[in-house]
Amino acid sequence: GEDRIQNGDKMEPSGYYIPFWLCACLALCGVATFASGMRGYAELSHDSSSEIFAALFGALWRRIKSCFTKAQGETTGDPTVDGSFLSHGITPEMDAEARKKRLGILRDLRQSITACKAFFVLPLYWLLGNQYSTNFILQTSWMDRPSYLPPEAIHNVSTITSLLFIPFLDKVAFPFFYGQRKPPTVPRMAIGFMCTVVAVAYGAVLQMLIIHRGYFDDAEKYHLYPDRGGRLSVWYQIPAYALQGISGCFVDITALE
């Protein structure tokens, strides 16, 4: 039979296939975008895992021994490495080439360790992000929306925003502000966290407006007050979902890096 959804006190025709079709179309757009750029992707050389672990644990072991021998770490000339335990990753017997390669590994390790501080707040970020697929969808069911639009469909705004914003950052914003340099890790994640906080706060304001215009009975059904206007439009949720998509561009991609 025909799929139907409840919109307030009415049962209206709809199709839950709409969100699935939207997801499928967006996934195809992503695959097409990835495939179109395959010839231009650069395969970067990288250090092997054994070299990275040797540098990390070697520096850590020599730092522990220095606590008893009072030995100082090597001066590398790199402020990101000097002054930390990683300066013990350079040994006097290394030649110039080995020293240069080891310094590059230590510099990357230092950046990774610094970025890991942001992971302490990632569980809270994920907790806030989960609200978009739970409470925000429930909020949508209390708002005025077209009969053909199930509450789940509006969530695709986040994905669409990410698909549009990622190339903007990669091709326009980051080259403009940083040139050929890699954008800093922690500030990117901090911007993403702030976008999520603003989006959730915005959703709280919408919920306050919904409660101002109506009330919930014992069966958790929403009823409007007769003198406080109609239901809030579902399109007011678009800024919150757009901010979530922007937040993912800063946080999720940076975390993967």
Side-chain angles (χ1 to χ4, degrees):
E2 187 181 46
D3 292 331
R4 304 178 71 84
I5 62 173
Q6 184 170 352
N7 188 1
D9 297 327
K10 299 180 296 181
M11 294 296 294
E12 298 178 342
S14 181
Y16 283 99
Y17 58 85
I18 294 178
F20 293 103
W21 272 114
L22 283 173
C23 291
C25 291
L26 291 172
L28 287 175
C29 289
V31 171
T33 302
F34 176 80
S36 65
M38 289 186 67
R39 292 183 177 181
Y41 295 150
E43 185 174 350
L44 302 178
S45 60
H46 57 85
D47 303 300
S48 67
S49 299
S50 60
E51 290 177 312
I52 295 173
F53 280 109
L56 175 62
F57 290 107
L60 186 60
W61 172 243
R62 282 187 287 273
R63 176 67 183 90
I64 293 174
K65 290 198 302 182
S66 71
C67 294
F68 303 97
T69 61
K70 306 298 182 182
Q72 299 294 320
E74 289 288 313
T75 300
T76 65
D78 190 321
T80 62
V81 175
D82 289 341
S84 71
F85 78 94
L86 292 174
S87 63
H88 292 267
I90 302 289
T91 57
E93 59 270 15
M94 287 183 175
D95 57 30
E97 183 177 352
R99 184 186 180 92
K100 180 179 179 181
K101 184 174 183 179
R102 177 60 62 87
L103 181 59
I105 296 175
L106 295 175
R107 189 183 298 114
D108 290 340
L109 282 171
R110 178 65 175 179
Q111 185 179 26
S112 299
I113 293 171
T114 302
C116 281
K117 298 174 183 178
F119 283 83
F120 286 106
V121 294
L122 269 182
L124 180 59
Y125 170 78
W126 291 327
L127 176 64
L128 294 176
N130 286 338
Q131 305 309 306
Y132 295 98
S133 56
T134 53
N135 288 329
F136 267 75
I137 292 177
L138 187 61
Q139 185 184 75
T140 306
S141 65
W142 303 324
M143 305 176 80
D144 182 47
R145 66 184 188 280
S147 60
Y148 57 82
L149 186 69
E152 297 84 357
I154 197 71
H155 192 280
N156 286 278
V157 171
S158 173
T159 307
I160 295 172
T161 303
S162 295
L163 287 176
L164 296 175
F165 201 70
I166 288 173
F168 170 76
L169 289 177
D170 186 52
K171 302 298 184 181
V172 179
F174 288 158
F176 178 79
F177 287 105
Y178 300 104
Q180 298 298 320
R181 294 178 292 120
K182 181 180 178 180
T185 301
V186 174
R188 275 192 289 168
M189 299 188 77
I191 292 172
F193 293 152
M194 289 304 301
C195 288
T196 295
V197 170
V198 172
V200 173
Y202 177 80
V205 172
L206 292 181
Q207 188 63 28
M208 292 171 62
L209 294 174
I210 290 172
I211 294 174
H212 174 73
R213 296 186 178 202
Y215 64 94
F216 296 91
D217 59 21
D218 293 337
E220 295 297 327
K221 293 185 65 175
Y222 181 64
H223 303 278
L224 289 171
Y225 291 117
D227 57 346
R228 297 187 182 178
R231 290 173 180 266
L232 205 63
S233 173
V234 71
W235 307 123
Y236 283 112
Q237 281 193 322
I238 288 181
Y241 281 111
L243 281 171
Q244 185 212 12
I246 294 173
S247 172
C249 296
F250 284 108
V251 176
D252 296 333
I253 295 176
T254 307
L256 287 174
E257 290 178 1

